[in-house]
């Protein structure tokens, strides 16, 4: 386990090789081989250390590589503390699960990308894999970091890489704007995260996760007041809201679809967007002592899940449907953490990684087959041309819909059960969202793979110059090439789909609910495995949770499970009715509910509202500040400069004509006077004697005159 530091370093080496040497020297196969090999090495090492962790007595291991920042005296609430930042990595059940997800899903995405991005020019191809490796390096650093500061390095790193990957085709304005949007929105959330870290050090005098958890566990639960722990948790949650795309900072994630499809899969499935959920779970002790903040987390998660699901109902871009699905599923995870079910949230994070990566890569396979077409209205009957893609995506849709036996069923049922215990009305929101999820996912499946083919023709028509002559004009590709109709993707793309479909099918069996596990003699393995990462909760909360669970009977749990399955089934049945049996009915429904349909199609006009308020307000403020800068600040500076020049001219005149004039006049007088006095300097002693006598005489005369005038002016007695 001492080699855990090598897990993030390996993809970092791949990024360095491709970034420094690849663009100039490496061919496409070499660049892809380096990127895939380094990620594969990280995966193998992750499996190795994970197996060691399973067999360890104490499931926690910390490796300190160096003292990044030596101790610096800084003020804390208890006086002067020592701020230090060791470069340390922590392996425990939570981080162990995360490195398997990140490295495993990341490796499959790298493998998939080697074929999907093959039409890129060599330079762009190498650059893509450099960014992909770098992204995984920072994400692995984030989940393995033993302190808030190391986590923050990874946190900011994935934000930077998201900008590079989303805006990969930067010559497209929409892609460049999407990358900038993701970067700016995440900075808003990151500001809250930074403030939370500052307050953590001020309160506890340390940034080590374990030390903070132990100190927080000794503090009282802030159930009646909003104290320092609640403030810390709220600030941390602001950072999580930005990174994990929750209301009101979710707007960047749907636009992230402008990046290549493998980027969408990487960001949405296993890495960046799950960072916020991971951070909240990592600080379970802190959040458990701030119940008011946990209520906020649960409400934000539940409302986000429902809102995003309603938007996904009407989207026609296949990637946009999946994007809003991601936002909704992340809401589920925050709902779980908000009601105290941290293990259930982490469990759903794991299952979501499999089926969401599968669905995104499957959509990429469809887009690849359709000559970069993303509109589902221009697809149809794709199962005939892409059977492997169809079967694997069908499995992914069943999993995310919560169909019994697949991974999504187990994790979603766990969240729903824990939510019902905490808040029945939040459970109602979650169940309605589950029904919507089943509907829009099978709407995607039915519109894409069933019905009549609605896309462009090919074959003989594609050779002409008419509308059916389809060529690729994606600016990210090598140039135009003839399209020969929809077709199954290459093995390098379908094999990852099959592996992910297998994971989406069986991954949930590590978290069998107790009500089923008791019948078959199998416990909830993942909940017990992750428990050490969420310990040190207050005794009061622990007792309260145990008491609540004890009151949920087997009959009630079976009833809740059956009801959620029924809702999912109704969603699937409705999608089948509207998009397979009676496709015209969906068009009629949209016309009859044109107002609501328009609102959902335009995503509640949230982007427009942001443009009208935040963006225009910011730009207006910027213009106002620019005017102040130009007219006041620059005016003052320029006026000072003008005044300085004027005063320097006056000073020049005074110096030249008065000061220098007086000096020159004095010099002239002295020069002329010296000529006169020089005439008297004869060198004859008698002349000097006469002059002396004349002087004495003049002085005596002056004295007598003054004395005589003084007597005459005196008054008589």
């Amino acid at each position: 386990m001492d080699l855990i530091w090598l897990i993030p370093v390996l993809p970092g080496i791949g990024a360095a090789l491709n970034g420094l040497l690849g663009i100039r020297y490496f061919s496409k196969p070499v660049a892809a081989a380096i990127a895939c090999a380094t990620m594969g090495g990280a995966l193998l090492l992750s499996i190795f250390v994970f197996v060691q962790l399973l067999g360890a007595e104490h499931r926690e291991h910390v490796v300190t590589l160096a003292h990044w920042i030596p101790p610096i005296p800084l003020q804390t609430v208890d006086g002067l503390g020592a701020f230090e930042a060791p470069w340390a990595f922590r392996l425990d059940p939570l981080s162990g699960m995360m490195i398997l997800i990140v490295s495993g899903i990341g490796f499959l995405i790298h493998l998939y990308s080697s074929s999907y991005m093959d039409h890129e020019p060599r330079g762009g191809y190498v650059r893509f894999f450099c960014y992909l490796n770098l992204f995984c390096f920072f994400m692995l650093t984030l989940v393995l970091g033993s302190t808030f500061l190391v986590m923050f390095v990874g946190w900011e790193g994935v934000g930077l890489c998201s900008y590079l990957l989303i805006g990969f085709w930067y010559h497209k304005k929409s892609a460049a704007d999407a990358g900038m949007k993701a970067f700016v929105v995440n900075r808003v959330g990151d500001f809250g995260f930074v403030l939370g870290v500052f307050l953590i050090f001020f309160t506890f005098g340390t940034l080590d996760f374990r030390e903070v958890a132990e100190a927080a566990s000794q503090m009282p639960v802030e159930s009646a007041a909003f104290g320092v722990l609640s403030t810390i948790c709220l600030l941390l949650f602001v950072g999580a809201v930005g990174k994990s795309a929750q209301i009101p900072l979710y707007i960047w994630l749907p636009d992230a679809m402008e990046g290549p499809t493998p980027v969408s899969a990487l960001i949405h499935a296993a890495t960046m967007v799950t960072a916020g959920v991971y951070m909240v779970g990592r600080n379970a002790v802190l959040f458990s002592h701030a119940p008011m903040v946990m209520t906020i987390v649960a409400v934000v998660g539940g409302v986000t899940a429902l809102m995003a699901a309603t938007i996904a109902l009407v989207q026609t871009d296949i990637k946009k449907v999946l994007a809003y699905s991601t936002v909704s599923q992340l809401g589920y995870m925050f709902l779980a953490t908000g009601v105290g079910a941290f293990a259930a949230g982490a469990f759903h994070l794991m299952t979501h990684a499999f089926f969401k990566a599968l669905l995104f890569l499957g959509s990429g396979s469809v887009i690849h087959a359709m000559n970069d077409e993303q509109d589902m209205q221009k697809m149809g009957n794709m199962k005939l041309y892409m059977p492997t893609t169809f079967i694997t995506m069908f499995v992914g849709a069943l999993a995310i819909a919560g169909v019994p036996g697949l991974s999504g069923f187990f994790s979603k049922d766990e969240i729903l059960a824990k939510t019902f215990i905490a808040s029945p009305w939040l459970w109602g929101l979650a169940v309605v969202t589950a029904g919507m999820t089943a509907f829009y996912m099978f709407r995607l499946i039915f519109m894409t793979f069933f019905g009549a083919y609605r896309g462009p023709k090919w074959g003989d028509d594609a050779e002409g110059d008419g509308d059916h002559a389809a060529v690729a004009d994606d600016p990210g590709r090598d140039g135009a090439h003839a399209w020969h109709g929809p077709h199954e993707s290459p093995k390098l793309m379908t094999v990852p789909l099959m592996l992910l479909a297998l994971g989406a099918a069986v991954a949930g069996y590590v978290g069998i609910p107790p009500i089923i596990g008791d019948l078959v003699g199998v416990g909830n393995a993942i909940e017990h495995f992750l428990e050490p990462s969420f310990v040190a909760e207050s005794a009061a909360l622990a007792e309260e949770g145990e008491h609540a669970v004890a009151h949920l009977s087997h009959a009630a749990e079976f009833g809740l499970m059956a009801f959620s399955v029924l809702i999912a089934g109704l969603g699937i049945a409705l999608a089948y009715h509207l998009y397979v049996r009676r496709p015209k009915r969906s068009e009629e429904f949209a016309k009859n509910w044109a107002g609501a349909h328009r609102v959902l199609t335009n995503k509640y006009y949230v982007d427009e509202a942001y443009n009208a308020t935040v963006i225009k307000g910011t730009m207006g403020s910027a213009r106002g500040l620019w005017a102040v800068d130009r007219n006041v600040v620059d005016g003052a500076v320029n006026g000072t400069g003008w005044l300085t020049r004027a005063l320097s001219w006056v000073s020049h005149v005074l110096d030249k004509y008065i000061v220098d004039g007086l000096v020159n006049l004095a010099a002239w007088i002295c020069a002329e006077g010296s000529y006169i006095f020089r005439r008297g300097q004869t060198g004859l002693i008698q002349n000097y004697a006469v002059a002396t006598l004349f002087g004495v005489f003049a002085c005596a005369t002056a004295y007598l005159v003054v004395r005589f005038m003084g007597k005459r002016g005196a008054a008589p007695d």
Side-chain angles (χ1 to χ4, degrees):
M1 288 190 288
D2 289 338
L3 296 176
I4 58 175
W5 61 272
L6 197 56
I7 296 174
V9 168
L10 283 173
I13 293 173
L17 290 174
N18 277 325
L20 298 176
L21 303 174
I23 295 177
R24 186 168 184 177
Y25 299 109
F26 295 168
S27 64
K28 289 183 180 181
V30 171
I34 290 174
C36 292
T38 52
M39 277 307 303
L43 174 60
L44 292 176
L45 188 56
S46 297
I47 296 173
F48 176 72
V49 299
F50 186 80
V51 172
Q52 286 187 313
L53 182 68
L54 291 176
E57 182 178 356
H58 301 287
R59 291 183 177 177
E60 185 178 64
H61 187 71
V62 178
V63 176
T64 301
L65 298 181
H67 285 278
W68 178 19
I69 300 176
I72 301 173
L74 288 178
Q75 187 66 37
T76 69
V77 70
D78 296 324
L80 199 64
F83 173 80
E84 58 181 333
W87 193 263
F89 296 107
R90 182 185 306 275
L91 182 66
D92 66 356
L94 183 59
S95 61
M97 183 192 73
M98 289 298 298
I99 61 174
L100 286 180
I101 295 172
V102 175
S103 60
I105 304 297
F107 172 70
L108 293 177
I109 291 173
H110 276 69
L111 197 65
Y112 177 96
S113 301
S114 64
S115 178
Y116 184 87
M117 299 296 292
D118 191 53
H119 293 293
E120 278 293 310
R122 189 188 64 84
Y125 189 88
V126 176
R127 178 166 57 90
F128 178 81
F129 277 102
C130 172
Y131 295 166
L132 219 57
N133 269 167
L134 190 63
F135 192 102
C136 292
F137 163 75
F138 281 119
M139 189 63 198
L140 290 167
T141 300
L142 188 156
V143 299
L144 284 172
S146 182
T147 68
F148 280 95
L149 202 58
V150 177
M151 171 185 274
F152 185 72
V153 172
W155 189 276
E156 291 299 299
V158 295
L160 170 64
C161 292
S162 70
Y163 168 75
L164 298 173
L165 288 169
I166 295 170
F168 180 75
W169 289 318
Y170 56 86
H171 33 63
K172 291 171 54 182
K173 187 178 184 305
S174 58
D177 289 346
M180 184 65 69
K181 188 176 185 178
F183 188 82
V184 171
V185 173
N186 273 275
R187 297 293 76 73
V188 175
D190 294 351
F191 183 67
F193 184 79
V194 170
L195 292 179
V197 173
F198 288 162
L199 189 55
I200 286 172
F201 179 79
F202 182 76
T203 304
F204 301 107
T206 180
L207 294 179
D208 184 87
F209 287 122
R210 177 56 60 186
E211 293 177 1
V212 170
E214 291 176 353
S217 65
Q218 305 302 316
M219 301 176 68
V221 178
E222 297 178 348
S223 56
F226 203 88
V228 63
L229 295 182
S230 298
T231 304
I232 289 172
C233 292
L234 186 61
L235 291 171
L236 294 179
F237 181 59
V238 170
V241 164
K243 196 67 71 180
S244 296
Q246 298 293 284
I247 292 175
L249 301 180
Y250 71 93
I251 56 174
W252 69 270
L253 191 56
D255 288 358
M257 299 301 100
E258 289 291 339
T261 298
V263 173
S264 303
L266 189 63
I267 290 177
H268 285 249
T271 54
M272 182 174 171
V273 295
T274 61
V277 180
Y278 170 79
M279 185 265 287
V280 174
R282 173 57 71 194
N283 295 283
V285 177
L286 282 173
F287 280 86
S288 298
H289 283 67
M292 287 184 288
V293 177
M294 289 190 67
T295 301
I296 295 173
V297 173
V299 171
V300 169
V303 173
T304 301
L306 181 64
M307 180 180 178
T310 60
I311 297 173
L313 294 174
V314 299
Q315 300 301 309
T316 58
D317 186 311
I318 188 171
K319 290 175 66 176
K320 283 291 181 70
V321 175
L322 296 176
Y324 282 103
S325 169
T326 299
V327 177
S328 182
Q329 295 303 305
L330 288 167
Y332 260 107
M333 299 173 202
F334 279 110
L335 175 61
T337 58
V339 298
F342 297 103
F347 183 27
H348 195 60
L349 186 156
M350 182 194 71
T351 60
H352 177 264
F354 284 104
F355 55 69
K356 186 52 58 71
L358 168 62
L359 291 167
F360 263 113
L361 295 185
S363 71
S365 180
V366 173
I367 294 168
H368 180 269
M370 289 296 296
N371 197 38
D372 300 326
E373 178 61 66
Q374 297 184 193
D375 191 348
M376 296 185 298
Q377 299 175 106
K378 299 178 182 179
M379 299 178 184
N381 202 28
M382 296 298 291
K383 68 179 187 302
L384 179 66
Y385 311 105
M386 312 179 68
T388 303
T389 300
F390 164 65
I391 294 172
T392 54
M393 286 194 71
F394 192 80
V395 172
L398 290 173
I400 194 174
V403 173
L406 298 175
S407 62
F409 166 76
F410 297 106
S411 59
K412 191 172 292 187
D413 176 74
E414 188 75 11
I415 293 175
L416 291 174
K418 296 296 177 63
T419 303
F420 183 82
I421 294 171
S423 173
W425 76 270
L426 283 175
W427 171 84
L429 286 182
V431 169
V432 171
T433 302
M436 292 182 178
T437 302
F439 173 81
Y440 67 67
M441 285 309 309
F442 276 88
R443 171 179 177 266
L444 181 151
I445 294 294
F446 295 142
M447 288 184 68
T448 304
F449 295 101
F450 288 77
Y453 176 75
R454 300 177 297 274
K457 296 180 181 178
W458 67 94
D460 294 337
D461 292 336
E463 301 298 328
D465 57 358
D467 295 336
H468 304 310
V471 295
D473 59 357
D474 193 323
R477 305 297 173 99
D478 275 336
H481 62 277
W483 181 60
H484 304 290
H487 54 277
E488 187 60 90
S489 299
K491 293 293 184 183
L492 282 174
M493 294 174 63
T494 56
V495 169
L497 293 180
M498 290 185 281
L499 293 174
L500 288 169
L502 178 63
V506 304
Y509 288 92
V510 299
I512 297 176
I515 191 172
I516 299 177
D518 293 343
L519 298 177
V520 297
V522 178
N524 192 325
I526 193 168
E527 184 173 351
H528 295 301
F529 174 71
L530 293 174
E531 185 178 1
S533 298
F534 308 130
V535 295
E537 298 179 357
S538 69
L541 286 178
E543 292 175 1
E544 183 182 350
E546 293 174 358
H547 183 71
V549 172
H551 281 75
L552 190 63
S553 66
H554 283 358
E557 192 169 352
F558 267 123
L560 293 174
M561 188 182 299
F563 186 76
S564 64
V565 172
L566 175 63
I567 292 295
L570 291 175
I572 297 172
L574 181 60
Y576 180 77
H577 178 75
L578 292 178
Y579 295 96
V580 178
R581 292 192 61 190
R582 304 281 183 86
K584 296 292 184 182
R585 187 68 61 85
S586 62
E587 299 176 5
E588 296 174 1
F589 190 84
K591 291 179 181 178
N592 294 335
W593 296 86
H597 189 273
R598 184 166 53 253
V599 170
L600 295 179
T601 302
N602 290 281
K603 295 122 3 195
Y604 293 103
Y605 297 97
V606 173
D607 284 329
E608 288 79 2
Y610 270 109
N611 287 332
T613 55
V614 178
I615 296 179
K616 287 188 176 179
T618 302
M619 296 302 295
S621 300
R623 285 191 291 269
L625 292 173
W626 175 76
V628 171
D629 180 70
R630 183 188 61 180
N631 299 321
V632 179
V633 179
D634 288 353
V637 173
N638 295 334
T640 302
W642 179 87
L643 181 62
T644 301
R645 290 195 300 270
L647 292 176
S648 67
W649 181 83
V650 173
S651 177
H652 167 71
V653 172
L654 292 174
D655 182 68
K656 182 176 181 180
Y657 296 103
I658 297 181
V659 179
D660 288 353
L662 291 175
V663 172
N664 294 334
L665 178 62
W668 180 83
I669 293 173
C670 291
E672 295 297 324
S674 66
Y675 175 76
I676 297 172
F677 286 108
R678 202 165 50 245
R679 297 288 299 272
Q681 297 178 3
T682 61
L684 300 176
I685 191 167
Q686 55 270 32
N687 291 343
Y688 296 152
V690 171
T692 301
L693 291 173
F694 178 79
V696 171
F697 177 76
C699 291
T701 302
Y703 172 78
L704 292 173
V705 170
V706 170
R707 187 174 179 83
F708 176 74
M709 296 299 293
K711 287 184 176 181
R712 290 194 61 180
D717 294 336

